[in-house]
Amino acid sequence: SRLRLCRGRTNPGFEAVVRSTMAFADAVQQAFAGNAETFGLVGLGWHVEFGSDIFEGVEGRESVLEGARMLSPTQRWHWGSCTKALSTTVVASLVDAGIFSSGWDTTLGDILPALSKDAADPNFAQVTLKHVAAHRSGICVDLAPEVEERLRAKAAVVGMSFVEQRAAFARELAMSTLGCKPGEGFGYSNAGFALLSAAAEVAAKKPWEELVIERLAMPLGMTSFGFGVPPRDAASGGALGHNEDGEVDETEDLPWHHASFSVHSTFHDWALFARMHLRALRGDCSALKVVGVGASSAALLHTPVSPAFLSEMSRGPEKPMSMAMGWQCLWEEPSDGKPWLAERTGILYHFGTNFRFNAGMYLCAEPPLLMLVASNSGSSLAKLAGRLALEAVIGAGKVDE
């Protein structure tokens, strides 16, 4: 969207502010719409908040199918792995409500004693909630696609509930050997977050979906929020996901990944969540109180713990780039040969994909900047386009400042 220059004012200071805002609006439009065109994306949407100004827009179509409509401004977007920040927030609310016996240090052995006893790795029982949320549990890989397909097929035949499916997933995962002792290494893991949701619903005695709705979506007023890929209807928009080759792919996400990378909402509702965390990042200790999270847990969510020592290596598919709990905190990778340790940066972000949709979320404390980007292209080029667009707006914000 573009801002219209106000007329009838003669205050030079006011007009300078308007010109600056218009220049930033143009930079936002060019960054997102320009990259969508450059990379040939099916569609792209964005939401940017810079100070008190909001810029939002969409570019492209709902699909590559003949007769596909242009994207709707009210399209519900898939969050991808930006979901992890939401999931850790829900777990934080459970921790602060006293649901877990030892808070963040509660172990899987405490919550899932039978599963932990039968696990292939004796260290499985010592994995804590904090280990899982920060990708330091030793669970460094996901289940093989054929194993997940077998679980899906069984669930369809037997008629398993989401809770039962997550329990079955957890049992399969417990048969794997950990990549390292809990807390001693980093390994990014979607499977770990699936396990986290399974543990949460056992402790809270409610399905994960109910916990998320009751503890986060409802308090924030996120009326468009849901699980899985976005539905296609008049209220939600009609965007279809597309695979790496640009072909329509209507495959649904598996329910055990609802906590890992599988929720959706409009940008308006997504921004309610992101804005709350931006306030906390900027020092508002009560920002997350609306969802039952106190100041200490809020700070813990935003504090990176990886890498924990110089030259710590990843045992998973991604580097430990100042990873906190559901967030990454280091936007620019250090130059070759320069070591770094986890420390607060004033930045929180995450990218994610289910390989049919792409998404990204970026928060910066100073100057205050909030950005959301999403695409119905699941390709690696779509992620690159989103990253480059965010970088362009970050640069424009520094110039405007």
Side-chain angles (χ1 to χ4, degrees), residues 209-276:
E209 291 77 15
E210 288 187 24
L211 292 173
V212 175
I213 295 297
E214 292 176 3
R215 292 186 167 272
L216 193 139
M218 287 182 64
L220 290 178
M222 299 170 67
T223 58
S224 68
F225 181 86
F227 298 90
V229 300
R232 300 185 69 221
D233 53 45
S236 306
L240 287 170
H242 297 75
N243 61 25
E244 184 70 34
D245 297 324
E247 302 166 335
V248 170
D249 187 338
E250 298 187 61
T251 305
E252 179 56 87
D253 293 336
L254 296 167
W256 47 81
H257 287 308
H258 283 175
S260 308
F261 56 75
S262 187
V263 303
H264 63 260
S265 77
T266 60
F267 279 136
H268 174 273
D269 285 354
W270 190 355
L272 295 173
F273 170 79
R275 201 176 297 132
M276 173 183 70

Side-chain angles (χ1 to χ4, degrees), residues 69 129 195 279 315-316 355 365 378:
R69 298 175 301 180
L129 298 175
L195 182 61
R279 286 174 50 207
R315 292 175 172 82
F355 303 106

Side-chain angles (χ1 to χ4, degrees), residues 73-366:
T74 58
Q75 170 67 43
R76 297 188 190 189
W77 291 104
H78 194 273
W79 289 28
S81 282
C82 299
T83 302
K84 290 181 173 68
L86 176 145
S87 297
T88 56
T89 304
V90 173
V91 173
S93 77
L94 294 172
V95 167
D96 287 1
I99 299 298
F100 299 105
S101 59
S102 301
W104 286 104
D105 293 325
T106 304
T107 67
L108 295 181
D110 296 329
I111 306 169
L112 306 168
L115 180 66
S116 299
K117 182 180 178 181
D118 295 335
D121 194 314
N123 292 309
F124 187 87
Q126 304 307 314
V127 172
T128 67
L129 298 175
K130 184 178 179 180
H131 289 150
V132 179
H135 299 289
R136 299 188 68 84
S137 65
I139 301 170
C140 302
V141 295
D142 297 324
L143 292 184
E146 58 269 20
V147 175
E148 294 206 37
E149 175 55 27
R150 174 166 52 79
L151 288 175
R152 184 204 64 76
K154 180 180 178 181
V157 171
V158 178
M160 299 168 68
S161 68
F162 286 172
V163 172
E164 291 170 331
Q165 291 184 58
R166 277 186 284 269
F169 181 92
R171 286 192 295 272
E172 288 283 352
L173 192 62
M175 294 300 100
S176 303
T177 302
L178 299 181
C180 62
K181 290 184 178 181
E184 294 188 5
F186 171 87
Y188 188 92
S189 175
N190 289 316
F193 270 70
L195 182 61
L196 187 67
S197 61
E201 57 192 4
V202 167
K205 298 179 174 60
K206 284 186 177 182
W208 175 252
E209 291 77 15
E210 288 187 24
L211 292 173
V212 175
I213 295 297
E214 292 176 3
R215 292 186 167 272
L216 193 139
M218 287 182 64
L220 290 178
M222 299 170 67
T223 58
S224 68
F225 181 86
F227 298 90
V229 300
R232 300 185 69 221
D233 53 45
S236 306
L240 287 170
H242 297 75
N243 61 25
E244 184 70 34
D245 297 324
E247 302 166 335
V248 170
D249 187 338
E250 298 187 61
T251 305
E252 179 56 87
D253 293 336
L254 296 167
W256 47 81
H257 287 308
H258 283 175
S260 308
F261 56 75
S262 187
V263 303
H264 63 260
S265 77
T266 60
F267 279 136
H268 174 273
D269 285 354
W270 190 355
L272 295 173
F273 170 79
R275 201 176 297 132
M276 173 183 70
H277 275 279
L278 179 57
R279 286 174 50 207
L281 185 64
R282 301 192 70 212
D284 183 348
C285 296
S286 64
L288 273 63
K289 186 177 180 180
V290 65
V291 294
V293 178
S296 60
S297 278
L300 186 65
L301 293 177
H302 295 174
T303 302
V305 293
S306 293
F309 55 88
L310 293 178
S311 302
E312 179 179 26
M313 300 299 292
S314 169
R315 292 175 172 82
E318 299 187 27
K319 295 180 181 180
M321 293 286 286
S322 289
M323 182 69 74
M325 297 168 72
W327 301 93
Q328 289 178 265
C329 309
L330 190 66
W331 181 252
E332 296 181 358
E333 186 173 347
S335 57
D336 291 343
K338 180 181 179 181
W340 81 97
L341 289 174
E343 60 182 16
R344 291 190 181 220
T345 63
I347 292 171
L348 299 172
Y349 77 96
H350 212 300
F351 287 101
T353 181
N354 66 350
F355 303 106
R356 301 177 297 284
F357 292 85
N358 262 289
M361 173 167 52
Y362 175 94
L363 309 177
C364 178
E366 295 298 338

